[in-house]
Amino acid sequence: MRDRSLMRIRVAALCALGVALAACGQKPGVHLAAQGQAGVDNPAPAVAPAPTVGPGEAVTGPVSDPTAGPAVGPVTTDPQQPVGQPTAGPNEPAPGPRWQVTGSDRTGVTDTTITLAAHAPVTGAAPLPAVVFEESADLYWRWLAHTTGEKVLGRDIEIVFQDDRYTPTTARQVCRQLMQVGFSITGVGADGIAACAPLAEQLRVPYIAFGADEAALAGNPWYFAISATYPQQGDLWAQYVRANFPGQKVGAIAIDTVNWDAAVDAWEAGLGREGVVFSEALRHPREGTDWYAPFARRLNDDGVQVVYALTSPLHLIRFAQVARDNDFDFHLLYIAPGALNGILENGCPAMGNATSFSTWPSLDVVDQLDPEFMQAVEEFDISRTNLDLSLALWGVNKYAHHLLAEYEARYGRDLTREDFRAMVETLTVRTGLFPEQVYSPSNHFGTRPGVHVVTANCDREIWENGGLFQTSF
C-alpha cells in the first residue's frame, strides 16, 4: 500500500458528496492540502483572509489581473485542424501544439506543479466518512502513474481545499482566497456555486462544477457544468415520472433558496408538458426540522404518491423517516449531482422507495464502463466500504485529466487560464464513465445532458443500476 505520508493528511474531510473536485487527487510526491482544516500536516501556504466580494465591489489583493483584456479564443496554426475539434483523448499521446498560446495568467502553475483549488460544504450537508477521502482522493492519479508513468502537462498535481460550511457568505470568502492560489476552482452545492461563479468571472478564473441551478450562472464565460443541471434534470424527471408512474399524483419539497427557483420552475413546466398530475412544491428553510411532519402530512392528504425532493441529504433522510413513521408511502425522487450509498446506509429502510439520477454509475455496472477502477482498487488495496464515493472521486479526476490532456494536445505545456477557458468551451467531453457533455461558446451547461438512473436497494443499502446514459424517457 502506498505510503500515506506523501498525502500529508490526518483528517481528510475534503470533498463533500464526492463531487467537489475536478482534480481532487495527486500523483506520488504531490500533497493534497486541506487548506484551513484542522489536523492537516504541512498545509499549503496560508492565504490571508479576504473580504467578501459582492456585486459592484472592487477587487483588491494579489490576484490575477481582472482588468486584462478579454480572453482570446484559440487560434489554430493548422488549416486542417478546425477550432473545436478534439485532437487527443486522455490516454492518447499528445501531438505537437497546434494552437497559439495567447493568455498570460499562469496562476497556480509552476515548472513542476499545477495547483487546483476546490470548495465544498463539508459541514452541514451530508453524513460522509472522512477516511475515504484520505484513501481514495488520489486513486486515479496513482493508477495513472502506476500504469503509464504519465504526468499532467509534465507536472504533478497539487490540491488546495476549503470547507464553505454550506453558506454563501463563507463560500465567497473561501473562493476569493482559493482563486489567488489555484489555477482553476471547482465546487458543489447550488448556493455555494451561485456565490462563487460571479467572482470567478470577475477574476477570470476557470470554474468547473457539477450541475446546479442555472439562473445565476447563465452567460458566465468562466463557469462550466460537468453534469446535468437541476433545470435539465427537472425536464428529464418529468419524462421519467410520466413513463414510470402513469396516473400517479406528484408533489415536491425543495429548499427555499432563490438559487433553486429555476430548478423548481423547470420541473413544474416539464410536468405540464408531460401531462402529469401535480399537487404543489413545498419550500422549506435551509435550517430547522419542524417542517418534516407537516409537509409530509400535507402531501399525503392531497393524495401525492411521488415526491420530487430537491434538498440536502440530511433533510431527505429525516423527511423520509418521518414519512415512514406516519405510514406515508411516498416514492422519493432524490435530486442531486450523484447518489451515494452512505445516504442509504443512514436512510434505510425509510428510503427503500427511492430513485435518483447520478453523474457516476452504480457499482454493479462499473466494470463494464471502466474496468480500470476496480483494478486500481485491487492494486492499492482500497477499502470496499463507501467504494461508490471512491468511484465519484475517480470520475471527477478522470474528467480533469481529459481536459488537461486535451489542452496539451492543442497548446503544448504552456498552461494559461485564458486559453484553458477558451478551449473547454469548444469540447465534447467523453470519459466513458460520466455522461457526455457538449460545450459551446453560448452554452456552458452542456447541450446533451444525460444521467445514470439508480434505484435504492435497502436490503443491501446500495444504489443499483436503473439505466445508463439516459437523455430521455
Side-chain angles (χ1 to χ4, degrees):
M1 193 177 207
R2 178 175 176 265
D3 180 3
R4 294 287 162 199
S5 65
L6 290 176
M7 294 183 72
R8 304 182 188 178
I9 291 178
R10 283 185 188 154
V11 179
L14 299 179
C15 313
L17 303 182
V19 300
L21 304 185
C24 178
Q26 67 204 50
K27 293 185 179 183
V30 179
H31 81 270
L32 190 154
Q35 187 177 332
Q37 297 293 311
V40 180
D41 295 331
N42 301 318
V47 179
T52 301
V53 177
E57 293 184 48
V59 180
T60 60
V63 298
S64 56
D65 181 8
T67 65
V72 179
V75 178
T76 178
T77 58
D78 182 350
Q80 302 303 314
Q81 180 60 42
V83 172
Q85 179 176 326
T87 56
N91 297 315
E92 299 174 15
R98 295 169 177 241
W99 289 10
Q100 179 181 348
V101 173
T102 59
S104 60
D105 190 345
R106 297 172 178 83
T107 300
V109 181
T110 73
D111 289 343
T112 58
T113 63
I114 300 171
T115 299
L116 304 173
H119 70 97
V122 171
T123 52
L128 293 173
V131 67
V132 69
F133 298 106
E134 180 177 355
E135 186 175 52
S136 298
D138 67 337
L139 180 61
Y140 177 83
W141 303 108
R142 290 160 57 197
W143 177 253
L144 186 70
H146 173 74
T147 55
T148 69
E150 181 183 347
K151 290 193 174 186
V152 181
L153 280 77
R155 300 171 174 92
D156 292 324
I157 299 295
E158 183 176 58
I159 304 297
V160 291
F161 174 84
Q162 289 213 41
D163 177 9
D164 64 28
R165 302 179 187 176
Y166 202 45
T167 63
T169 300
T170 304
R172 279 192 295 270
Q173 292 171 341
V174 302
C175 284
R176 177 174 170 80
Q177 296 174 36
L178 292 171
M179 290 175 189
Q180 297 179 32
V181 296
F183 171 77
S184 63
I185 186 168
T186 63
V188 69
D191 283 353
I193 292 172
C196 291
L199 184 59
E201 180 178 14
Q202 186 176 7
L203 301 183
R204 299 162 56 83
V205 181
Y207 187 39
I208 301 170
F210 277 73
D213 204 71
E214 296 181 7
L217 305 169
N220 186 330
W222 293 85
Y223 167 84
F224 296 90
I226 65 172
S227 66
T229 66
Y230 290 163
Q232 288 170 338
Q233 283 197 46
D235 199 55
L236 288 175
W237 274 117
Q239 296 175 26
Y240 185 85
V241 170
R242 173 190 50 76
N244 291 276
F245 304 102
Q248 296 191 26
K249 195 171 190 178
V250 302
I253 58 171
I255 295 178
D256 190 11
T257 169
V258 67
N259 296 316
W260 283 358
D261 287 350
V264 173
D265 291 345
W267 153 252
E268 294 183 6
L271 292 178
R273 286 190 293 271
E274 300 299 330
V276 176
V277 179
F278 182 56
S279 172
E280 61 182 326
L282 301 177
R283 307 297 291 269
H284 68 80
R286 292 170 57 86
E287 308 296 336
T289 62
D290 58 356
W291 60 270
Y292 302 142
F295 276 26
R297 184 168 299 281
R298 181 167 169 173
L299 292 171
N300 182 73
D301 290 348
D302 197 32
V304 167
Q305 297 165 283
V306 181
V307 176
Y308 174 91
L310 183 58
T311 187
S312 73
L314 286 176
H315 281 317
L316 176 69
I317 290 168
R318 292 165 181 164
F319 176 83
Q321 290 169 340
V322 168
R324 185 174 186 270
D325 290 344
N326 285 276
D327 296 323
F328 301 152
D329 188 21
F330 298 139
H331 192 114
L332 296 173
L333 309 180
Y334 170 41
I335 319 304
L340 293 169
N341 291 338
I343 295 172
L344 298 182
E345 291 168 5
N346 288 273
C348 282
M351 286 189 59
N353 225 8
T355 301
S356 186
F357 291 168
S358 184
T359 307
W360 55 91
S362 53
L363 291 171
D364 55 338
V365 293
V366 68
D367 277 345
Q368 75 183 67
L369 299 181
D370 194 341
E372 287 190 299
F373 171 70
M374 288 306 300
Q375 294 172 28
V377 167
E378 293 287 344
E379 175 66 27
F380 295 105
D381 194 24
I382 301 300
S383 171
R384 298 307 196 270
T385 304
N386 299 295
L387 198 57
D388 59 319
L389 183 50
S390 298
L391 176 60
L393 293 170
W394 174 280
V396 291
N397 290 325
K398 188 172 187 178
Y399 203 99
H401 185 208
H402 180 105
L403 298 182
L404 291 167
E406 184 64 30
Y407 184 95
E408 184 173 6
R410 297 186 183 208
Y411 288 100
R413 294 183 175 180
D414 184 4
L415 180 61
T416 75
R417 283 172 164 175
E418 298 95 335
D419 293 306
F420 182 81
R421 186 214 66 79
M423 178 207 71
V424 174
E425 71 175 13
T426 72
L427 291 182
T428 293
V429 184
R430 303 183 185 94
T431 66
L433 191 66
F434 287 2
E436 175 182 290
Q437 287 290 97
V438 182
Y439 302 118
S440 71
S442 62
N443 190 337
H444 288 193
F445 297 127
T447 58
R448 295 180 193 167
V451 295
H452 299 306
V453 180
V454 292
T455 58
N457 182 332
C458 270
D459 291 336
R460 300 176 60 196
E461 295 185 338
I462 62 171
W463 297 96
E464 295 180 329
N465 178 48
L468 297 173
F469 300 107
Q470 301 295 307
T471 57
S472 64
F473 296 96

